[in-house]
Amino acid sequence: MLFCIGRCIHQLATLKEVAKLAKVDSSVVSRVVNNDPALNIKPETRKRILDAVEELKYRPNMSARNLKKGQSKMLGMIIPDFSNPVYSLIIHGAEDQAAQEGFNLLVYSLKQKGLEKSYSPLLDGQIEGLLIANSEIDNKEILELKKTKKPFMLVNRTVAGVDNYVVANDLLGAKLATKHLIKQGHHRIAHISGPLFTATGLSRFQGYREGLQEDNIDYIPVYVQESKYTVENGYESMEILLDLPDPPTAVFASNIMICLGAMKAIQDRGLTIPKDMSIIGVHDVFFTSTLQPPLTTVKMPLYEMGREAVKKLIAIIQGKEGETGQGVTIDGASLIVRSSTSPPPSK
Amino acid sequence: MLFCIGRCIHQLATLKEVAKLAKVDSSVVSRVVNNDPALNIKPETRKRILDAVEELKYRPNMSARNLKKGQSKMLGMIIPDFSNPVYSLIIHGAEDQAAQEGFNLLVYSLKQKGLEKSYSPLLDGQIEGLLIANSEIDNKEILELKKTKKPFMLVNRTVAGVDNYVVANDLLGAKLATKHLIKQGHHRIAHISGPLFTATGLSRFQGYREGLQEDNIDYIPVYVQESKYTVENGYESMEILLDLPDPPTAVFASNIMICLGAMKAIQDRGLTIPKDMSIIGVHDVFFTSTLQPPLTTVKMPLYEMGREAVKKLIAIIQGKEGETGQGVTIDGASLIVRSSTSPPPSK
DNA sequence: CTGTTAGCGCTTTCAT
DNA sequence: ATGAAAGCGCTAACAG
């Protein structure tokens, strides 16, 4: 049963074999392979070594290297769900940056919340740092993690007292959305917010409020519905808004999942978007332009967020930041106007 | 710059330390930790060891173990794109199965096609096996890979001459879709196929043909449009079908991306689904029920495919299959009827 | 039932 | 400018 393992992984040339072929010591090969700057090698010898490396198709054994150096070159990332397109983009950015810096990214989806165990087996040696892009993980657990001094990074979320985080400018994004609606002539603008214990939910709510404020539009509390970031919850929240005696003429959804649900609720009532109701959502993902009608969105720099988070995490791992990074806000929220928003029906 | 690495990864107890605390040799600890079945240990000693493990929070160093055993416990997976929801589901299944068997899954998205280099650095030691869920990779490259004898597995695709693959019953799924349309009373049924050099595209085309055949519906070649698995191509193909002098009354889209594009093309013409045109697509992903109208789909066992692929790959790695697996077809295609299909407009 | 030992492949200090 | 040697933490064959 195990007889194959040796064959499968090894059979690759080792340093020693390369050394023998090049007639030098393996330590020299190691230095050449690693481009040791403090190495003064005869060009001829170097060539001989490089040729041997080429001939034997030598590739360093990572386990050995990692063992020796006490590293693993692996990063972990926790997301709530692989099918969530918001996270797809973050992962993509994280992946690219990790690869660029020679790290591997292990992505775990955390279905069951409250799984505090999820990171401890991870951090206890396997991986060098952890990206947490998951609003369902309790603040408490993250504070606990912080005590361990292990490198980690919050992505698209924050926790009071933790300043290793990368977020987007949610406030700006939300304000952009709200002001777009106002500019279209809406006054009765609802907001289906995300959970208001999350940074994204809160910032977008704040952006909505500030947007209204700056244009002197009355804030009507009942127009704000707090919702989880799910299609189902978005649907329910929209229904509540539609049942209001004086329903809004436009709605700003805090997230694409919510937005999807809200659109459906509107259309299930036989209402037409944008004639009867304008709608705008946060996150421009691959299918927003194909919805009916094509959705006006706020595009957040999700890919960049993933990249930046990995960059900072690696910096922390390598001690470049005194182990404690600074919170980073990635700008670049932009409005993408399509057909789900229009002026309100004239009275 | 590197001073932290030691602290970050180690500072974990080693076998030796546990051994010292438990007053035994480290090899005994190793055996206990690994549940060596051929170990006849005094219950008391075992307890002493387990207590020490607990106290020092010992966790095996994977690099050391892997180095010793000549393994890496890592699997690679190549997908075309993280945002494609079809792959999200496959990844999810693969991830679960890998975790269950103690393997880590590294997922790479391969944007630039033709990157034959992509697997060679991977397979040359870092990972023990590779899942290829990517129809853009040339058959040639895969045949090349096969020669290396490295464990790999094709997921949701095939290559002539390679029998390590896991696919779904695409033929059945397509037949289900086609027959559903026929049962609704359609005779002029179009098919926007996937690329006909891919197994999925071909099988679904075949299912469509067989479905028509079994119910004695004439096959009209011009009703078949070959398309890439993209929204844009689906859109274009649908436009061609709509421009036909005698356009179809129903269309079966080979894939969800195509379907999305086709729906948009239909609606952009001012036509109503399903009144003017019925549409059904392969792949039931998270947003299909929220489309307008909710989409009738064929649900393929994508999650299971991911699981099964990893299971077989690991079996191959461990030499359980004489290194060469058998092609596996996962059944379980099922029709999910929603509102995008209805009887054709009566003449 | 438990300990001794060798060595996986690599890096790195120290010696030449 | 290159080599020798030690050792990272673990496992497994062999001894006792």
Side-chain angles (χ1 to χ4, degrees):
Chain A
M1 153 193 171
L2 292 177
F3 72 93
C4 149
I5 285 183
R7 287 233 289 77
C8 296
I9 286 291
H10 306 293
Q11 105 197 162
L12 281 86
T14 69
L15 265 193
K16 217 196 280 183
E17 302 177 69
V18 175
K20 189 159 62 168
L21 182 61
K23 299 192 196 312
V24 292
D25 187 81
S26 61
S27 58
V28 185
V29 182
S30 169
R31 287 182 276 237
V32 168
V33 166
N34 290 303
N35 276 315
D36 181 349
L39 173 62
N40 245 358
I41 199 175
K42 261 193 280 190
E44 188 216 286
T45 320
R46 157 169 273 135
K47 180 173 180 349
R48 209 153 19 95
I49 292 175
L50 258 19
D51 286 348
V53 163
E54 181 64 24
E55 173 160 356
L56 297 177
K57 299 206 179 314
Y58 168 79
R59 308 238 120 218
N61 177 315
M62 287 307 169
S63 298
R65 175 180 288 176
N66 290 338
L67 170 60
K68 182 69 192 177
K69 310 229 275 188
Q71 64 186 18
S72 75
K73 287 291 179 186
M74 297 221 270
L75 264 25
M77 178 164 184
I78 305 184
I79 59 165
D81 182 3
F82 275 108
S83 352
N84 189 322
V86 174
Y87 294 96
S88 304
L89 287 166
I90 298 177
I91 294 175
H92 196 162
E95 227 284 313
D96 281 358
Q97 185 67 28
Q100 192 178 312
E101 303 205 40
F103 278 76
N104 285 129
L105 186 68
L106 259 30
V107 184
Y108 302 87
S109 79
L110 193 62
K111 286 132 288 179
Q112 318 91 314
K113 61 182 244 174
L115 241 203
E116 76 254 24
K117 309 286 182 187
S118 73
Y119 59 75
S120 79
L122 296 182
L123 268 192
D124 283 353
Q126 276 250 48
I127 61 179
E128 297 187 54
L130 185 64
L131 299 164
I132 301 175
N134 199 314
S135 55
E136 271 106 53
I137 295 182
D138 270 6
N139 289 11
K140 256 185 263 167
E141 298 184 36
I142 287 170
L143 260 4
E144 208 61 40
L145 216 199
K146 189 187 174 189
K147 283 195 207 136
T148 70
K149 297 281 184 187
K150 297 280 186 181
F152 73 97
M153 199 80 201
L154 264 24
V155 190
N156 202 27
R157 69 164 291 177
T158 59
V159 170
V162 176
D163 47 7
N164 319 316
Y165 63 87
V166 176
V167 294
N169 196 334
D170 290 299
L171 193 146
L172 173 63
K175 206 189 275 191
L176 245 36
T178 309
K179 293 204 155 207
H180 170 68
L181 260 13
I182 295 172
K183 202 177 291 166
Q184 298 271 310
H186 292 274
H187 290 80
R188 302 209 307 276
I189 300 172
H191 174 43
I192 307 181
S193 81
L196 292 179
F197 55 84
T198 66
T200 52
L202 225 33
S203 298
R204 289 172 200 159
F205 172 65
Q206 188 187 352
Y208 162 76
R209 290 298 304 273
E210 288 188 11
L212 294 181
Q213 175 100 26
E214 289 175 14
D215 285 311
N216 295 308
I217 308 277
D218 280 345
Y219 164 58
I220 302 170
V222 77
Y223 277 178
V224 174
Q225 286 295 321
E226 185 173 344
S227 161
K228 286 188 211 163
Y229 289 133
T230 64
V231 174
E232 293 72 24
N233 261 265
Y235 190 95
E236 290 163 16
S237 299
M238 191 68 221
E239 283 195 308
I240 294 174
L241 291 170
L242 290 170
D243 283 335
L244 252 27
D246 196 22
T249 60
V251 57
F252 160 48
S254 184
N255 153 290
I256 184 61
M257 304 304 250
I258 291 176
C259 195
L260 225 44
M263 279 183 87
K264 189 168 166 56
I266 295 166
Q267 293 171 325
D268 278 0
R269 294 262 175 132
L271 300 174
T272 303
I273 300 171
K275 188 168 71 65
D276 304 313
M277 178 76 67
S278 285
I279 183 165
I280 181 170
V282 173
H283 294 319
D284 195 64
V285 297
F286 74 97
F287 57 79
T288 44
S289 66
T290 67
L291 291 170
Q292 214 47 239
L295 192 64
T296 298
T297 61
V298 176
K299 179 174 186 160
M300 303 302 275
L302 296 170
Y303 176 88
E304 292 74 14
M305 220 164 62
R307 277 197 91 101
E308 189 62 25
V310 165
K311 208 159 152 188
K312 299 221 28 150
L313 181 59
I314 293 177
I316 292 175
I317 289 169
Q318 299 180 334
K320 282 181 188 151
E321 316 228 349
E323 288 203 38
T324 151
Q326 298 279 339
V328 170
T329 300
I330 311 233
D331 262 298
S334 59
L335 192 68
I336 298 188
V337 179
R338 298 202 183 89
S339 323
S340 67
T341 49
S342 74
S346 46
K347 294 233 166 174
Chain B
M1 153 193 174
L2 293 179
F3 71 92
C4 149
I5 285 183
R7 288 233 287 79
C8 297
I9 285 291
H10 306 293
Q11 104 196 161
L12 281 86
T14 70
L15 265 193
K16 218 195 282 182
E17 301 177 70
V18 175
K20 190 157 62 167
L21 183 60
K23 300 192 194 312
V24 291
D25 187 81
S26 62
S27 60
V28 185
V29 182
S30 169
R31 287 182 277 237
V32 168
V33 166
N34 291 302
N35 275 314
D36 181 349
L39 174 61
N40 244 356
I41 197 174
K42 258 194 284 191
E44 190 215 286
T45 320
R46 159 170 271 135
K47 178 169 180 352
R48 210 155 17 100
I49 293 175
L50 258 20
D51 285 350
V53 163
E54 180 63 24
E55 174 160 355
L56 298 176
K57 299 207 181 314
Y58 168 79
R59 308 238 122 217
N61 177 316
M62 288 306 169
S63 298
R65 175 180 288 176
N66 290 337
L67 169 61
K68 179 69 190 179
K69 311 229 277 187
Q71 63 185 19
S72 75
K73 286 291 179 186
M74 297 221 271
L75 263 26
M77 178 164 185
I78 305 185
I79 59 164
D81 182 3
F82 276 108
S83 355
N84 190 321
V86 175
Y87 293 96
S88 304
L89 286 167
I90 299 178
I91 294 175
H92 196 163
E95 228 282 311
D96 282 358
Q97 184 66 29
Q100 191 178 312
E101 302 205 41
F103 278 76
N104 285 129
L105 185 70
L106 259 31
V107 184
Y108 302 87
S109 80
L110 194 62
K111 286 133 289 182
Q112 318 92 315
K113 60 184 243 173
L115 240 204
E116 75 256 23
K117 309 285 181 188
S118 74
Y119 58 74
S120 80
L122 296 183
L123 268 193
D124 283 354
Q126 274 248 50
I127 63 178
E128 297 187 54
L130 185 62
L131 298 164
I132 302 175
N134 200 313
S135 56
E136 270 107 53
I137 294 182
D138 270 6
N139 290 9
K140 255 186 265 168
E141 298 184 36
I142 287 170
L143 259 4
E144 208 61 41
L145 216 201
K146 189 187 174 188
K147 282 195 209 138
T148 70
K149 298 280 184 187
K150 297 281 188 181
F152 73 95
M153 199 78 203
L154 265 23
V155 190
N156 202 27
R157 70 164 291 175
T158 60
V159 171
V162 176
D163 47 7
N164 320 317
Y165 63 85
V166 176
V167 294
N169 196 335
D170 290 299
L171 193 147
L172 173 63
K175 205 189 274 192
L176 246 34
T178 309
K179 293 206 154 204
H180 170 69
L181 260 14
I182 296 172
K183 201 176 292 168
Q184 299 270 310
H186 292 275
H187 291 80
R188 304 209 306 277
I189 299 172
H191 174 43
I192 307 181
S193 82
L196 292 179
F197 55 84
T198 65
T200 51
L202 225 32
S203 298
R204 289 173 201 160
F205 172 64
Q206 189 186 350
Y208 161 76
R209 290 297 305 273
E210 289 189 11
L212 293 181
Q213 174 98 26
E214 289 177 13
D215 285 310
N216 294 309
I217 309 278
D218 280 346
Y219 164 59
I220 302 170
V222 77
Y223 278 177
V224 173
Q225 285 295 321
E226 185 173 344
S227 161
K228 285 188 211 163
Y229 289 133
T230 64
V231 174
E232 293 71 24
N233 262 265
Y235 189 96
E236 290 163 16
S237 299
M238 192 67 223
E239 283 195 308
I240 295 174
L241 290 171
L242 289 169
D243 283 335
L244 252 27
D246 196 20
T249 60
V251 57
F252 160 47
S254 185
N255 153 290
I256 184 63
M257 303 304 250
I258 291 176
C259 196
L260 225 44
M263 278 183 88
K264 189 170 167 56
I266 295 166
Q267 293 171 325
D268 278 0
R269 295 262 175 132
L271 300 175
T272 303
I273 299 171
K275 188 168 70 66
D276 304 312
M277 178 75 68
S278 285
I279 184 165
I280 182 171
V282 173
H283 294 317
D284 195 63
V285 297
F286 75 97
F287 58 77
T288 44
S289 65
T290 67
L291 292 170
Q292 216 43 241
L295 191 64
T296 298
T297 61
V298 176
K299 177 172 186 161
M300 303 301 276
L302 296 169
Y303 176 88
E304 291 75 14
M305 219 164 62
R307 277 195 90 101
E308 189 63 24
V310 165
K311 208 158 150 188
K312 300 222 26 150
L313 182 59
I314 293 177
I316 292 174
I317 289 169
Q318 300 181 332
K320 284 183 189 148
E321 317 228 350
E323 288 205 37
T324 151
Q326 298 279 339
V328 169
T329 301
I330 311 235
D331 262 298
S334 59
L335 191 68
I336 299 190
V337 179
R338 298 201 184 88
S339 322
S340 68
T341 49
S342 74
S346 45
K347 294 232 167 173

